[in-house]
Amino acid sequence: MRPTRVSGPTESAVSVADAKENTRIDFSDEDALVQRKIDAAIADLDGYNGILGRCICNQVWRMPFACFGSTLKTPFFDVSAVILKYLDAAGVEQIVSSGDYLVIEGHTGAYLHFIDYATPETQEGHPQPVWAEVTTGYGGASDVPGNVKEAIYRLVDHWYENRGDIGDNRTVPMGFDHIVAKIRRVPV
């Protein structure tokens, strides 16, 4: 079952001013272009489907489940909050108390592990009567690690300097893969 994003980040991981400083742009004529490059770089790297396989700035994702189990696995890393919900037998949305489960960060994502919890009856016939709303990401822009910001800067700089076709078939800047390899998470 695939997660869907409920709400995106409220701030960008890097600012136009920081990207311009990194790219050595000292005029404001192309600020809108730089912002588009930042947005494109973050879109490529960020989130469940992004190159990093993790969220950069905090955002909320909905992860559906077909049923309860002793442990529910999510594909998310850097989880700061979870609200676990379900449809009861009457089809009414209910919230599971956060004291009934632990959020455990694993190397393939976070797990919701129940502590002596009697599984409630869920709505019969519903394909996904249980779901988690997961807040995931490093936090705000100031919490994003330098190597993540560097990956964004490399893409912004590369795309800014190479606006047309790239003759040498290099689709990412030098050093980019090395940076990303150290921070990438791939859920299994």
Side-chain angles (χ1 to χ4, degrees):
M1 301 194 194
R2 297 184 60 83
T4 54
R5 190 159 75 175
V6 175
S7 62
T10 58
E11 61 183 319
S12 178
V14 300
S15 68
V16 170
D18 290 340
K20 284 172 53 177
E21 180 181 328
N22 185 75
T23 310
R24 297 187 191 108
I25 301 170
D26 59 1
F27 50 89
S28 59
D29 297 353
E30 295 187 329
D31 283 5
L33 174 65
V34 172
Q35 184 63 60
R36 287 194 306 271
K37 303 292 182 195
I38 291 169
D39 294 344
I42 290 172
D44 270 5
L45 295 168
D46 190 38
Y48 169 74
N49 292 322
I51 292 169
L52 296 181
R54 67 191 319 158
C55 299
I56 298 174
C57 286
N58 275 359
Q59 50 200 272
V60 178
W61 287 75
R62 179 184 168 139
M63 181 68 203
F65 301 98
C67 61
F68 278 106
S70 62
T71 301
L72 300 175
K73 183 189 179 315
T74 78
F76 299 109
F77 301 90
D78 311 306
V79 172
S80 59
V82 174
I83 300 172
L84 186 58
K85 298 180 179 183
Y86 68 97
L87 295 177
D88 66 15
V92 177
E93 184 178 298
Q94 303 291 333
I95 297 176
V96 177
S97 169
S98 61
D100 289 332
Y101 58 90
L102 299 172
V103 178
I104 302 169
E105 289 276 340
H107 64 280
T108 60
Y111 295 85
L112 309 179
H113 181 72
F114 291 98
I115 309 165
D116 299 324
Y117 181 64
T119 303
E121 194 173 325
T122 58
Q123 185 179 29
E124 191 172 320
H126 194 286
Q128 300 170 341
V130 181
W131 66 95
E133 292 178 0
V134 180
T135 301
T136 175
Y138 290 108
S142 62
D143 301 311
V144 175
N147 53 356
V148 175
K149 289 182 179 186
E150 183 61 29
I152 295 167
Y153 295 145
R154 296 262 177 127
L155 286 177
V156 170
D157 182 53
H158 182 71
W159 291 339
Y160 181 83
E161 295 297 331
N162 300 285
R163 297 181 209 183
D165 292 332
I166 301 172
D168 64 3
N169 292 326
R170 213 171 354 149
T171 58
V172 295
M174 188 180 299
F176 176 80
D177 289 333
H178 177 74
I179 294 168
V180 168
K182 292 182 179 222
I183 52 180
R184 185 169 189 235
R185 296 288 184 254
V186 182
V188 178

Short mmCIF file of all heavy atoms in Angstrom, two decimals, residues 68-135:
data_model
loop_
_atom_site.label_atom_id
_atom_site.label_comp_id
_atom_site.label_asym_id
_atom_site.label_seq_id
_atom_site.Cartn_x
_atom_site.Cartn_y
_atom_site.Cartn_z
N PHE A 68 -4.97 -4.28 11.32
CA PHE A 68 -4.04 -4.13 12.42
C PHE A 68 -3.14 -5.36 12.46
O PHE A 68 -3.48 -6.41 11.94
CB PHE A 68 -4.78 -4.03 13.77
CG PHE A 68 -5.30 -2.67 14.08
CD1 PHE A 68 -6.65 -2.40 13.98
CD2 PHE A 68 -4.45 -1.66 14.48
CE1 PHE A 68 -7.15 -1.14 14.27
CE2 PHE A 68 -4.92 -0.40 14.78
CZ PHE A 68 -6.29 -0.14 14.68
N GLY A 69 -2.00 -5.23 13.10
CA GLY A 69 -1.09 -6.34 13.35
C GLY A 69 -0.31 -5.98 14.60
O GLY A 69 -0.45 -4.87 15.12
N SER A 70 0.54 -6.85 15.08
CA SER A 70 1.31 -6.52 16.28
C SER A 70 2.30 -5.39 15.99
O SER A 70 2.69 -4.63 16.87
CB SER A 70 2.03 -7.74 16.82
OG SER A 70 2.95 -8.22 15.85
N THR A 71 2.71 -5.30 14.72
CA THR A 71 3.60 -4.24 14.27
C THR A 71 3.15 -3.77 12.90
O THR A 71 2.82 -4.59 12.04
CB THR A 71 5.06 -4.76 14.18
OG1 THR A 71 5.46 -5.23 15.47
CG2 THR A 71 6.01 -3.69 13.74
N LEU A 72 3.13 -2.46 12.70
CA LEU A 72 2.81 -1.89 11.39
C LEU A 72 4.08 -1.21 10.88
O LEU A 72 4.69 -0.41 11.58
CB LEU A 72 1.68 -0.86 11.51
CG LEU A 72 0.34 -1.38 12.04
CD1 LEU A 72 -0.64 -0.23 12.20
CD2 LEU A 72 -0.23 -2.44 11.12
N LYS A 73 4.47 -1.54 9.66
CA LYS A 73 5.71 -1.00 9.08
C LYS A 73 5.39 0.18 8.16
O LYS A 73 4.50 0.11 7.34
CB LYS A 73 6.43 -2.08 8.29
CG LYS A 73 7.75 -1.60 7.73
CD LYS A 73 8.35 -2.61 6.78
CE LYS A 73 9.65 -2.14 6.19
NZ LYS A 73 9.68 -0.79 5.72
N THR A 74 6.17 1.26 8.32
CA THR A 74 6.07 2.40 7.41
C THR A 74 7.40 2.52 6.66
O THR A 74 8.43 2.04 7.13
CB THR A 74 5.80 3.73 8.15
OG1 THR A 74 7.01 4.21 8.73
CG2 THR A 74 4.71 3.59 9.20
N PRO A 75 7.39 3.18 5.52
CA PRO A 75 8.64 3.38 4.78
C PRO A 75 9.36 4.67 5.16
O PRO A 75 10.26 5.10 4.46
CB PRO A 75 8.16 3.43 3.33
CG PRO A 75 6.82 4.07 3.43
CD PRO A 75 6.23 3.55 4.71
N PHE A 76 8.96 5.30 6.28
CA PHE A 76 9.46 6.63 6.61
C PHE A 76 10.57 6.60 7.65
O PHE A 76 10.55 5.81 8.58
CB PHE A 76 8.31 7.51 7.10
CG PHE A 76 7.25 7.69 6.07
CD1 PHE A 76 6.01 7.11 6.22
CD2 PHE A 76 7.50 8.43 4.93
CE1 PHE A 76 5.03 7.25 5.25
CE2 PHE A 76 6.53 8.59 3.96
CZ PHE A 76 5.29 7.99 4.12
N PHE A 77 11.50 7.53 7.48
CA PHE A 77 12.61 7.73 8.41
C PHE A 77 12.43 9.10 9.07
O PHE A 77 11.67 9.92 8.59
CB PHE A 77 13.94 7.71 7.64
CG PHE A 77 14.17 6.41 6.92
CD1 PHE A 77 13.74 6.23 5.61
CD2 PHE A 77 14.79 5.36 7.57
CE1 PHE A 77 13.94 5.04 4.95
CE2 PHE A 77 15.00 4.15 6.91
CZ PHE A 77 14.57 4.00 5.61
N ASP A 78 13.14 9.33 10.14
CA ASP A 78 13.11 10.64 10.82
C ASP A 78 11.68 11.01 11.21
O ASP A 78 11.22 12.13 10.99
CB ASP A 78 13.73 11.72 9.93
CG ASP A 78 15.08 11.31 9.35
OD1 ASP A 78 15.95 10.93 10.14
OD2 ASP A 78 15.23 11.35 8.12
N VAL A 79 10.97 10.07 11.82
CA VAL A 79 9.58 10.27 12.22
C VAL A 79 9.54 11.02 13.55
O VAL A 79 10.16 10.61 14.53
CB VAL A 79 8.84 8.92 12.33
CG1 VAL A 79 7.46 9.09 12.94
CG2 VAL A 79 8.77 8.26 10.97
N SER A 80 8.79 12.13 13.57
CA SER A 80 8.67 12.91 14.81
C SER A 80 7.29 12.81 15.45
O SER A 80 7.14 13.12 16.62
CB SER A 80 9.01 14.38 14.54
OG SER A 80 8.15 14.92 13.57
N ALA A 81 6.28 12.37 14.69
CA ALA A 81 4.94 12.23 15.25
C ALA A 81 4.13 11.25 14.41
O ALA A 81 4.33 11.14 13.20
CB ALA A 81 4.23 13.58 15.29
N VAL A 82 3.23 10.54 15.09
CA VAL A 82 2.32 9.61 14.41
C VAL A 82 0.94 9.74 15.04
O VAL A 82 0.82 9.78 16.27
CB VAL A 82 2.79 8.14 14.55
CG1 VAL A 82 1.77 7.18 13.96
CG2 VAL A 82 4.14 7.94 13.89
N ILE A 83 -0.07 9.80 14.20
CA ILE A 83 -1.45 9.69 14.66
C ILE A 83 -2.01 8.47 13.95
O ILE A 83 -2.10 8.45 12.72
CB ILE A 83 -2.29 10.95 14.33
CG1 ILE A 83 -1.67 12.18 14.98
CG2 ILE A 83 -3.74 10.76 14.77
CD1 ILE A 83 -2.32 13.49 14.55
N LEU A 84 -2.36 7.45 14.71
CA LEU A 84 -2.86 6.21 14.15
C LEU A 84 -4.38 6.21 14.24
O LEU A 84 -4.96 6.42 15.31
CB LEU A 84 -2.28 5.02 14.91
CG LEU A 84 -2.58 3.64 14.36
CD1 LEU A 84 -2.11 3.49 12.91
CD2 LEU A 84 -1.95 2.57 15.25
N LYS A 85 -5.04 6.00 13.10
CA LYS A 85 -6.50 6.06 13.03
C LYS A 85 -7.05 4.79 12.40
O LYS A 85 -6.34 4.06 11.71
CB LYS A 85 -6.94 7.26 12.19
CG LYS A 85 -6.50 8.60 12.77
CD LYS A 85 -6.97 9.75 11.90
CE LYS A 85 -6.55 11.09 12.48
NZ LYS A 85 -7.08 12.20 11.68
N TYR A 86 -8.34 4.56 12.62
CA TYR A 86 -9.01 3.42 11.99
C TYR A 86 -10.50 3.70 11.91
O TYR A 86 -11.03 4.58 12.60
CB TYR A 86 -8.74 2.12 12.75
CG TYR A 86 -9.35 2.06 14.13
CD1 TYR A 86 -10.58 1.41 14.34
CD2 TYR A 86 -8.72 2.63 15.22
CE1 TYR A 86 -11.14 1.34 15.60
CE2 TYR A 86 -9.27 2.57 16.49
CZ TYR A 86 -10.49 1.93 16.68
OH TYR A 86 -11.04 1.86 17.92
N LEU A 87 -11.17 2.95 11.05
CA LEU A 87 -12.62 2.99 10.97
C LEU A 87 -13.15 1.83 11.80
O LEU A 87 -12.79 0.67 11.55
CB LEU A 87 -13.10 2.85 9.52
CG LEU A 87 -12.71 3.98 8.58
CD1 LEU A 87 -13.18 3.68 7.16
CD2 LEU A 87 -13.30 5.30 9.05
N ASP A 88 -13.98 2.13 12.81
CA ASP A 88 -14.51 1.06 13.65
C ASP A 88 -15.60 0.28 12.89
O ASP A 88 -15.87 0.58 11.71
CB ASP A 88 -15.01 1.61 14.99
CG ASP A 88 -16.22 2.53 14.87
OD1 ASP A 88 -16.88 2.55 13.81
OD2 ASP A 88 -16.50 3.23 15.86
N ALA A 89 -16.18 -0.71 13.53
CA ALA A 89 -17.16 -1.58 12.87
C ALA A 89 -18.33 -0.80 12.29
O ALA A 89 -18.92 -1.19 11.28
CB ALA A 89 -17.66 -2.63 13.85
N ALA A 90 -18.64 0.35 12.87
CA ALA A 90 -19.75 1.18 12.39
C ALA A 90 -19.30 2.18 11.31
O ALA A 90 -20.10 2.97 10.81
CB ALA A 90 -20.39 1.93 13.56
N GLY A 91 -18.00 2.17 10.99
CA GLY A 91 -17.48 3.09 9.97
C GLY A 91 -17.13 4.47 10.51
O GLY A 91 -16.95 5.41 9.74
N VAL A 92 -17.01 4.60 11.83
CA VAL A 92 -16.69 5.88 12.47
C VAL A 92 -15.18 5.95 12.71
O VAL A 92 -14.58 5.00 13.22
CB VAL A 92 -17.46 6.04 13.80
CG1 VAL A 92 -17.07 7.34 14.50
CG2 VAL A 92 -18.96 5.97 13.56
N GLU A 93 -14.58 7.07 12.33
CA GLU A 93 -13.14 7.24 12.51
C GLU A 93 -12.79 7.32 13.99
O GLU A 93 -13.41 8.07 14.75
CB GLU A 93 -12.69 8.52 11.81
CG GLU A 93 -11.20 8.75 11.84
CD GLU A 93 -10.78 10.00 11.09
OE1 GLU A 93 -11.01 10.06 9.86
OE2 GLU A 93 -10.23 10.92 11.73
N GLN A 94 -11.77 6.53 14.39
CA GLN A 94 -11.29 6.50 15.76
C GLN A 94 -9.78 6.73 15.76
O GLN A 94 -9.11 6.49 14.76
CB GLN A 94 -11.59 5.14 16.41
CG GLN A 94 -13.04 4.74 16.41
CD GLN A 94 -13.88 5.60 17.34
OE1 GLN A 94 -13.39 6.15 18.33
NE2 GLN A 94 -15.16 5.74 17.01
N ILE A 95 -9.25 7.20 16.89
CA ILE A 95 -7.81 7.42 17.05
C ILE A 95 -7.29 6.47 18.12
O ILE A 95 -7.87 6.37 19.20
CB ILE A 95 -7.49 8.88 17.44
CG1 ILE A 95 -7.93 9.83 16.32
CG2 ILE A 95 -6.00 9.05 17.73
CD1 ILE A 95 -7.76 11.30 16.66
N VAL A 96 -6.20 5.78 17.81
CA VAL A 96 -5.55 4.89 18.77
C VAL A 96 -4.67 5.75 19.67
O VAL A 96 -3.90 6.59 19.19
CB VAL A 96 -4.68 3.82 18.05
CG1 VAL A 96 -3.95 2.94 19.07
CG2 VAL A 96 -5.54 2.98 17.13
N SER A 97 -4.76 5.56 20.98
CA SER A 97 -3.96 6.32 21.92
C SER A 97 -2.47 6.09 21.64
O SER A 97 -2.03 4.96 21.43
CB SER A 97 -4.27 5.89 23.35
OG SER A 97 -3.33 6.44 24.25
N SER A 98 -1.69 7.16 21.64
CA SER A 98 -0.25 7.04 21.39
C SER A 98 0.45 6.22 22.46
O SER A 98 1.56 5.74 22.25
CB SER A 98 0.38 8.42 21.25
OG SER A 98 0.22 9.14 22.46
N GLY A 99 -0.18 6.03 23.60
CA GLY A 99 0.38 5.21 24.66
C GLY A 99 0.25 3.71 24.39
O GLY A 99 0.82 2.90 25.11
N ASP A 100 -0.51 3.35 23.35
CA ASP A 100 -0.72 1.94 23.03
C ASP A 100 0.31 1.38 22.06
O ASP A 100 0.29 0.18 21.76
CB ASP A 100 -2.12 1.74 22.43
CG ASP A 100 -3.22 1.93 23.47
OD1 ASP A 100 -2.95 1.69 24.67
OD2 ASP A 100 -4.34 2.31 23.09
N TYR A 101 1.20 2.22 21.55
CA TYR A 101 2.21 1.73 20.61
C TYR A 101 3.49 2.56 20.73
O TYR A 101 3.48 3.67 21.23
CB TYR A 101 1.69 1.77 19.16
CG TYR A 101 1.26 3.14 18.69
CD1 TYR A 101 2.15 4.00 18.06
CD2 TYR A 101 -0.05 3.57 18.86
CE1 TYR A 101 1.75 5.25 17.62
CE2 TYR A 101 -0.46 4.82 18.44
CZ TYR A 101 0.44 5.65 17.82
OH TYR A 101 0.04 6.90 17.39
N LEU A 102 4.57 1.94 20.28
CA LEU A 102 5.87 2.61 20.23
C LEU A 102 6.22 2.88 18.78
O LEU A 102 5.89 2.07 17.90
CB LEU A 102 6.96 1.73 20.83
CG LEU A 102 6.83 1.33 22.29
CD1 LEU A 102 7.90 0.28 22.63
CD2 LEU A 102 6.99 2.55 23.17
N VAL A 103 6.89 3.98 18.52
CA VAL A 103 7.43 4.26 17.19
C VAL A 103 8.91 3.90 17.27
O VAL A 103 9.67 4.49 18.03
CB VAL A 103 7.24 5.74 16.79
CG1 VAL A 103 7.85 5.99 15.42
CG2 VAL A 103 5.76 6.12 16.82
N ILE A 104 9.29 2.90 16.47
CA ILE A 104 10.67 2.40 16.49
C ILE A 104 11.29 2.66 15.13
O ILE A 104 10.78 2.19 14.11
CB ILE A 104 10.70 0.89 16.81
CG1 ILE A 104 10.03 0.64 18.17
CG2 ILE A 104 12.13 0.36 16.78
CD1 ILE A 104 9.77 -0.83 18.46
N GLU A 105 12.39 3.42 15.13
CA GLU A 105 13.11 3.69 13.88
C GLU A 105 13.95 2.48 13.52
O GLU A 105 14.77 2.03 14.31
CB GLU A 105 14.02 4.91 14.02
CG GLU A 105 13.29 6.24 14.13
CD GLU A 105 12.92 6.84 12.79
OE1 GLU A 105 13.50 6.48 11.75
OE2 GLU A 105 12.02 7.69 12.78
N GLY A 106 13.72 1.95 12.33
CA GLY A 106 14.51 0.83 11.84
C GLY A 106 15.34 1.26 10.65
O GLY A 106 15.20 2.39 10.16
N HIS A 107 16.19 0.38 10.14
CA HIS A 107 17.02 0.76 9.00
C HIS A 107 16.26 0.70 7.68
O HIS A 107 16.79 1.08 6.65
CB HIS A 107 18.30 -0.08 8.95
CG HIS A 107 18.08 -1.54 8.73
ND1 HIS A 107 17.71 -2.39 9.73
CD2 HIS A 107 18.15 -2.28 7.60
CE1 HIS A 107 17.56 -3.60 9.24
NE2 HIS A 107 17.82 -3.57 7.95
N THR A 108 15.01 0.23 7.71
CA THR A 108 14.18 0.25 6.50
C THR A 108 12.92 1.10 6.68
O THR A 108 12.03 1.06 5.84
CB THR A 108 13.76 -1.19 6.10
OG1 THR A 108 13.01 -1.77 7.17
CG2 THR A 108 14.97 -2.04 5.77
N GLY A 109 12.86 1.86 7.75
CA GLY A 109 11.71 2.72 8.02
C GLY A 109 11.27 2.59 9.46
O GLY A 109 11.83 1.80 10.23
N ALA A 110 10.25 3.35 9.83
CA ALA A 110 9.75 3.32 11.20
C ALA A 110 8.66 2.25 11.35
O ALA A 110 7.88 2.01 10.44
CB ALA A 110 9.18 4.68 11.58
N TYR A 111 8.65 1.62 12.52
CA TYR A 111 7.65 0.62 12.85
C TYR A 111 6.76 1.14 13.97
O TYR A 111 7.24 1.82 14.87
CB TYR A 111 8.32 -0.67 13.34
CG TYR A 111 9.15 -1.36 12.30
CD1 TYR A 111 10.47 -0.97 12.07
CD2 TYR A 111 8.62 -2.38 11.54
CE1 TYR A 111 11.24 -1.60 11.10
CE2 TYR A 111 9.39 -3.03 10.57
CZ TYR A 111 10.69 -2.63 10.36
OH TYR A 111 11.44 -3.26 9.40
N LEU A 112 5.49 0.80 13.92
CA LEU A 112 4.57 1.08 15.01
C LEU A 112 4.33 -0.26 15.70
O LEU A 112 3.71 -1.16 15.14
CB LEU A 112 3.25 1.65 14.48
CG LEU A 112 3.37 2.83 13.52
CD1 LEU A 112 1.99 3.29 13.06
CD2 LEU A 112 4.12 3.97 14.16
N HIS A 113 4.88 -0.40 16.89
CA HIS A 113 4.81 -1.67 17.62
C HIS A 113 3.83 -1.51 18.78
O HIS A 113 4.01 -0.64 19.64
CB HIS A 113 6.20 -2.07 18.12
CG HIS A 113 6.19 -3.36 18.86
ND1 HIS A 113 6.03 -4.57 18.23
CD2 HIS A 113 6.31 -3.63 20.17
CE1 HIS A 113 6.04 -5.53 19.13
NE2 HIS A 113 6.23 -4.98 20.32
N PHE A 114 2.82 -2.37 18.82
CA PHE A 114 1.78 -2.28 19.84
C PHE A 114 2.23 -2.90 21.15
O PHE A 114 2.92 -3.91 21.18
CB PHE A 114 0.49 -2.94 19.35
CG PHE A 114 -0.15 -2.16 18.24
CD1 PHE A 114 0.05 -2.53 16.92
CD2 PHE A 114 -0.89 -1.04 18.52
CE1 PHE A 114 -0.50 -1.79 15.90
CE2 PHE A 114 -1.46 -0.29 17.50
CZ PHE A 114 -1.26 -0.67 16.18
N ILE A 115 1.81 -2.26 22.26
CA ILE A 115 2.14 -2.71 23.60
C ILE A 115 0.86 -3.26 24.22
O ILE A 115 -0.03 -2.49 24.58
CB ILE A 115 2.64 -1.54 24.47
CG1 ILE A 115 3.74 -0.77 23.76
CG2 ILE A 115 3.07 -2.01 25.84
CD1 ILE A 115 4.03 0.58 24.37
N ASP A 116 0.74 -4.57 24.33
CA ASP A 116 -0.44 -5.20 24.96
C ASP A 116 -1.74 -4.52 24.54
O ASP A 116 -2.54 -4.11 25.37
CB ASP A 116 -0.31 -5.16 26.50
CG ASP A 116 0.90 -5.93 26.97
OD1 ASP A 116 1.21 -6.96 26.35
OD2 ASP A 116 1.52 -5.49 27.95
N TYR A 117 -1.93 -4.40 23.26
CA TYR A 117 -3.08 -3.68 22.74
C TYR A 117 -4.07 -4.67 22.15
O TYR A 117 -3.72 -5.49 21.31
CB TYR A 117 -2.61 -2.69 21.65
CG TYR A 117 -3.71 -1.86 21.03
CD1 TYR A 117 -4.43 -0.96 21.78
CD2 TYR A 117 -4.01 -1.99 19.68
CE1 TYR A 117 -5.42 -0.19 21.21
CE2 TYR A 117 -4.99 -1.23 19.10
CZ TYR A 117 -5.71 -0.33 19.87
OH TYR A 117 -6.69 0.43 19.31
N ALA A 118 -5.31 -4.60 22.60
CA ALA A 118 -6.37 -5.44 22.05
C ALA A 118 -6.84 -4.79 20.75
O ALA A 118 -7.37 -3.67 20.75
CB ALA A 118 -7.51 -5.56 23.04
N THR A 119 -6.63 -5.46 19.65
CA THR A 119 -6.97 -4.92 18.34
C THR A 119 -8.48 -4.69 18.24
O THR A 119 -9.26 -5.63 18.44
CB THR A 119 -6.52 -5.88 17.22
OG1 THR A 119 -5.13 -6.11 17.36
CG2 THR A 119 -6.79 -5.30 15.86
N PRO A 120 -8.88 -3.47 17.92
CA PRO A 120 -10.31 -3.21 17.80
C PRO A 120 -10.87 -3.79 16.49
O PRO A 120 -10.13 -4.06 15.55
CB PRO A 120 -10.39 -1.69 17.79
CG PRO A 120 -9.08 -1.25 17.27
CD PRO A 120 -8.09 -2.28 17.71
N GLU A 121 -12.15 -3.97 16.47
CA GLU A 121 -12.82 -4.44 15.26
C GLU A 121 -12.89 -3.27 14.28
O GLU A 121 -13.23 -2.14 14.66
CB GLU A 121 -14.22 -4.92 15.61
CG GLU A 121 -14.88 -5.72 14.53
CD GLU A 121 -16.20 -6.31 15.00
OE1 GLU A 121 -16.32 -6.68 16.18
OE2 GLU A 121 -17.10 -6.38 14.15
N THR A 122 -12.53 -3.52 13.03
CA THR A 122 -12.55 -2.47 12.01
C THR A 122 -13.72 -2.69 11.06
O THR A 122 -14.33 -3.76 11.04
CB THR A 122 -11.24 -2.43 11.21
OG1 THR A 122 -11.02 -3.70 10.59
CG2 THR A 122 -10.06 -2.08 12.10
N GLN A 123 -14.00 -1.69 10.26
CA GLN A 123 -15.11 -1.75 9.32
C GLN A 123 -14.90 -2.90 8.33
O GLN A 123 -13.89 -2.97 7.65
CB GLN A 123 -15.26 -0.43 8.57
CG GLN A 123 -16.47 -0.40 7.67
CD GLN A 123 -16.62 0.94 6.95
OE1 GLN A 123 -15.65 1.62 6.69
NE2 GLN A 123 -17.85 1.29 6.66
N GLU A 124 -15.85 -3.77 8.28
CA GLU A 124 -15.77 -4.94 7.40
C GLU A 124 -15.91 -4.51 5.94
O GLU A 124 -16.72 -3.65 5.60
CB GLU A 124 -16.88 -5.93 7.76
CG GLU A 124 -16.70 -7.27 7.10
CD GLU A 124 -17.70 -8.28 7.63
OE1 GLU A 124 -17.96 -8.29 8.85
OE2 GLU A 124 -18.21 -9.04 6.82
N GLY A 125 -15.07 -5.09 5.10
CA GLY A 125 -15.16 -4.83 3.67
C GLY A 125 -14.39 -3.61 3.19
O GLY A 125 -14.23 -3.41 1.99
N HIS A 126 -13.88 -2.81 4.11
CA HIS A 126 -13.10 -1.64 3.71
C HIS A 126 -11.67 -2.12 3.41
O HIS A 126 -11.07 -2.81 4.22
CB HIS A 126 -13.09 -0.59 4.81
CG HIS A 126 -12.59 0.74 4.36
ND1 HIS A 126 -11.27 0.99 4.10
CD2 HIS A 126 -13.26 1.89 4.09
CE1 HIS A 126 -11.12 2.24 3.71
NE2 HIS A 126 -12.31 2.81 3.69
N PRO A 127 -11.10 -1.73 2.24
CA PRO A 127 -9.76 -2.24 1.89
C PRO A 127 -8.62 -1.68 2.75
O PRO A 127 -7.58 -2.32 2.87
CB PRO A 127 -9.60 -1.81 0.43
CG PRO A 127 -10.52 -0.65 0.27
CD PRO A 127 -11.66 -0.88 1.21
N GLN A 128 -8.81 -0.51 3.33
CA GLN A 128 -7.75 0.11 4.13
C GLN A 128 -8.36 0.81 5.34
O GLN A 128 -8.34 2.05 5.44
CB GLN A 128 -6.96 1.10 3.29
CG GLN A 128 -6.29 0.44 2.10
CD GLN A 128 -5.71 1.44 1.12
OE1 GLN A 128 -6.06 2.61 1.11
NE2 GLN A 128 -4.83 0.96 0.27
N PRO A 129 -8.87 0.03 6.31
CA PRO A 129 -9.56 0.65 7.45
C PRO A 129 -8.63 1.22 8.51
O PRO A 129 -9.08 1.86 9.45
CB PRO A 129 -10.37 -0.52 8.02
CG PRO A 129 -9.52 -1.72 7.71
CD PRO A 129 -8.90 -1.42 6.36
N VAL A 130 -7.33 1.02 8.37
CA VAL A 130 -6.35 1.51 9.33
C VAL A 130 -5.35 2.38 8.58
O VAL A 130 -4.95 2.06 7.47
CB VAL A 130 -5.60 0.33 10.00
CG1 VAL A 130 -4.58 0.83 11.03
CG2 VAL A 130 -6.58 -0.67 10.63
N TRP A 131 -4.98 3.52 9.17
CA TRP A 131 -3.96 4.36 8.55
C TRP A 131 -3.21 5.16 9.61
O TRP A 131 -3.70 5.39 10.70
CB TRP A 131 -4.55 5.29 7.49
CG TRP A 131 -5.49 6.34 8.01
CD1 TRP A 131 -5.19 7.63 8.33
CD2 TRP A 131 -6.89 6.19 8.26
NE1 TRP A 131 -6.31 8.29 8.76
CE2 TRP A 131 -7.38 7.43 8.72
CE3 TRP A 131 -7.80 5.13 8.13
CZ2 TRP A 131 -8.71 7.65 9.07
CZ3 TRP A 131 -9.13 5.34 8.48
CH2 TRP A 131 -9.56 6.59 8.93
N ALA A 132 -2.01 5.53 9.25
CA ALA A 132 -1.18 6.36 10.13
C ALA A 132 -0.90 7.67 9.42
O ALA A 132 -0.59 7.69 8.22
CB ALA A 132 0.14 5.65 10.45
N GLU A 133 -1.04 8.76 10.13
CA GLU A 133 -0.62 10.07 9.64
C GLU A 133 0.74 10.33 10.28
O GLU A 133 0.84 10.51 11.49
CB GLU A 133 -1.65 11.14 9.97
CG GLU A 133 -2.93 10.95 9.19
CD GLU A 133 -4.00 11.96 9.52
OE1 GLU A 133 -3.78 12.86 10.37
OE2 GLU A 133 -5.09 11.84 8.92
N VAL A 134 1.78 10.31 9.45
CA VAL A 134 3.16 10.33 9.92
C VAL A 134 3.82 11.66 9.59
O VAL A 134 3.84 12.07 8.44
CB VAL A 134 3.96 9.18 9.24
CG1 VAL A 134 5.39 9.17 9.71
CG2 VAL A 134 3.28 7.84 9.48
N THR A 135 4.32 12.33 10.62
CA THR A 135 5.12 13.54 10.41
C THR A 135 6.57 13.09 10.32
O THR A 135 7.10 12.45 11.23
CB THR A 135 4.96 14.54 11.57
OG1 THR A 135 3.57 14.89 11.68
CG2 THR A 135 5.78 15.81 11.32
#
